[in-house]
């Protein structure tokens, strides 16, 4: 199943972002720790190739600790400054200011050689919808400056936010990209809520997710639902058992697949299923590899 989501306002936001890029020294990209590859807009690498790059691994508390560590090490080797955060936690977010200062040292040195004493840094904050970008900015600034919401596309316009005499942030709307080249990307973004829930059947999405859980996190199913997947057991069978356990049954005894799918998806997004990552560093593929449950 091919999943795409690129509303018209995103094309306009992308054009505005490209116009503002020359004004910025640092690019701070907020990504979802549960799927770092899928939640990075691949167009940013080309657009911001000459900028200082910072990757903030948000929702770190929801992701697999070991996989997150490997991802941050991998991106660091590729020239990114990386930091894991929980955007809802101000103590966690305070470390970002120090990182921006550290990452900007080459810029300060370059300015000193030109006789420029100012240490003002302008940082553009980017992120696809629903990765917690606006929540991060609000926690960073210490007041509710950027609009937040649990639906993709809440922030619609660029806005400058002055943190102190040395740092200005440019908040930008969350944008995806026109075409997901890999099927796994669409599934992952749908699971974390970065694309509109209404564009695909929730039952198909959760069926995919359950296959992934059986393969990589069977213990999560046992601990949350009291169901231990049997060897080779189909995801549909497990979904039926969860439905019975959680009383997601229609009149007449049929399974209410929409209701049980919503329950499972909400358990994942809220962290009630435990720390789960949808990716780990390795070869991208859509069929039967270590990153995907699609077969």
């Amino acid at each position: 199943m091919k999943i795409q989501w690129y509303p018209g306002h995103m094309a306009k936001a992308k054009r505005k972002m490209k116009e503002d890029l020359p004004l910025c020294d640092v690019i701070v990209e907020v990504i979802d720790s549960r799927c770092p590859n899928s939640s990075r807009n691949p167009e940013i690498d080309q657009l911001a190739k000459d900028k200082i790059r910072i990757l903030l691994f948000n929702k770190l508390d929801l992701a697999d600790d070991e996989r997150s560590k490997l991802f941050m090490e991998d991106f660091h080797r590729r020239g990114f400054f990386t930091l894991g955060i929980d955007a809802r936690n101000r103590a966690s977010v305070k470390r970002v200011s120090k990182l921006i200062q550290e990452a900007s040292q080459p810029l300060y040195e370059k300015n000193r050689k030109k006789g420029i004493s100012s240490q003002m840094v302008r940082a553009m904050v980017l992120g696809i919808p629903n990765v917690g970008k606006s929540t991060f900015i609000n926690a960073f600034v210490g007041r509710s400056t950027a609009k937040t919401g649990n639906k993709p596309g809440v922030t619609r316009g660029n806005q400058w936010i002055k943190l102190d005499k040395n740092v200005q942030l440019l908040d930008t709307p969350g944008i995806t990209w026109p075409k997901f080249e890999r099927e796994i990307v669409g599934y992952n973004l749908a699971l974390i809520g970065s694309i509109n829930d209404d564009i695909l059947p929730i039952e198909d999405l959760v069926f995919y997710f359950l296959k992934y859980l059986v393969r990589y996190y069977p213990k999560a199913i046992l601990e949350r639902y009291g169901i231990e997947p049997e060897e080779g057991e189909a995801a549909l069978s497990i979904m039926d058992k969860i439905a019975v356990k959680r009383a997601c049954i229609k009149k007449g005894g049929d399974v209410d697949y929409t209701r049980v799918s919503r329950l499972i998806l909400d358990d994942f997004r809220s962290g009630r299923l435990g720390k789960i990552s949808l990716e780990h560093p390795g070869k991208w593929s859509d069929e039967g590899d270590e990153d995907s449950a699609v077969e």
Side-chain angles (χ1 to χ4, degrees):
M1 178 176 61
K2 293 294 182 182
I3 302 172
Q4 301 293 335
W5 190 61
Y6 193 67
H9 74 270
M10 289 191 179
K12 181 179 179 181
K14 178 184 173 182
R15 289 194 297 270
K16 178 60 176 169
M17 181 192 72
K18 290 173 69 174
E19 292 174 5
D20 290 335
L21 269 172
L23 304 175
C24 302
D25 310 298
V26 179
I27 302 300
V28 178
E29 188 174 0
V30 183
I31 60 177
D32 192 308
S33 296
R34 294 170 293 181
C35 54
N37 281 328
S38 297
S39 60
R40 288 187 64 238
N41 187 332
E43 297 180 329
I44 304 303
D45 285 340
Q46 182 61 31
L47 293 172
K49 60 183 179 180
D50 298 323
K51 305 292 183 180
I52 299 168
R53 302 291 302 277
I54 294 175
L55 282 183
L56 299 182
F57 282 68
N58 191 29
K59 305 187 182 181
L60 195 66
D61 58 310
L62 300 178
D64 184 312
D65 292 330
E66 183 59 29
R67 292 198 190 184
S68 295
K69 178 183 176 183
L70 291 173
F71 261 115
M72 283 189 276
E73 290 174 351
D74 180 51
F75 279 108
H76 182 72
R77 285 191 296 268
R78 291 158 58 182
F80 292 84
F81 291 85
T82 63
L83 181 66
I85 65 168
D86 174 0
R88 301 164 301 175
N89 186 326
R90 286 197 65 191
S92 169
V93 172
K94 283 182 179 179
R95 293 177 294 157
V96 178
S97 180
K98 182 178 179 181
L99 183 60
I100 291 177
Q101 298 295 319
E102 176 188 340
S104 300
Q105 289 304 312
L107 176 65
Y108 298 151
E109 183 61 28
K110 184 178 179 180
N111 286 342
R112 278 194 292 268
K113 290 180 179 179
K114 293 181 179 180
I116 302 172
S117 59
S118 172
Q119 291 193 340
M120 172 62 71
V121 175
R122 288 182 171 178
M124 177 179 284
V125 184
L126 303 173
I128 67 171
N130 214 41
V131 293
K133 177 176 59 66
S134 294
T135 302
F136 152 70
I137 289 177
N138 290 342
F140 197 8
V141 177
R143 60 184 185 276
S144 189
T145 300
K147 296 178 182 179
T148 60
N150 58 5
K151 293 184 178 181
V154 171
T155 305
R156 289 298 184 94
N158 295 8
Q159 51 183 323
W160 283 101
I161 302 164
K162 188 173 182 179
L163 297 183
D164 52 45
K165 64 179 182 179
N166 292 326
V167 180
Q168 286 185 336
L169 295 181
L170 179 61
D171 186 22
T172 61
I175 56 174
T176 58
W177 53 104
K179 183 180 181 181
F180 304 147
E181 295 296 336
R182 299 177 177 89
E183 189 174 20
I184 184 177
V185 171
Y187 277 107
N188 288 346
L189 295 189
L191 283 168
I192 66 173
S194 288
I195 59 179
N196 197 311
D197 284 340
D198 297 332
I199 72 169
L200 74 159
I202 190 174
E203 298 87 353
D204 292 348
L205 177 62
V206 173
F207 181 71
Y208 163 85
F209 177 59
L210 275 178
K211 288 201 295 180
Y212 184 87
L213 283 185
V214 169
R215 186 172 182 179
Y216 293 113
Y217 295 98
K219 188 177 179 181
I221 300 174
L222 175 61
E223 292 180 348
R224 180 62 182 167
Y225 305 114
I227 297 168
E228 186 170 7
E230 300 176 6
E231 185 175 351
E233 185 174 8
L236 183 60
S237 171
I238 295 171
M239 186 181 285
D240 288 345
K241 290 179 180 179
I242 295 173
V244 171
K245 284 266 189 178
R246 295 305 174 91
C248 297
I249 304 297
K250 298 178 181 178
K251 289 183 179 179
D254 292 336
V255 170
D256 189 334
Y257 286 109
T258 299
R259 185 178 170 193
V260 72
S261 295
R262 286 175 178 160
L263 181 149
I264 295 168
L265 183 59
D266 186 58
D267 281 347
F268 165 67
R269 290 177 175 175
S270 66
R272 287 190 290 269
L273 270 169
K275 292 189 171 188
I276 293 172
S277 290
L278 301 172
E279 303 170 342
H280 57 262
K283 181 181 177 182
W284 277 100
S285 174
D286 286 333
E287 295 186 0
D289 79 302
E290 60 191 5
D291 289 304
S292 175
V294 179
E295 297 177 354

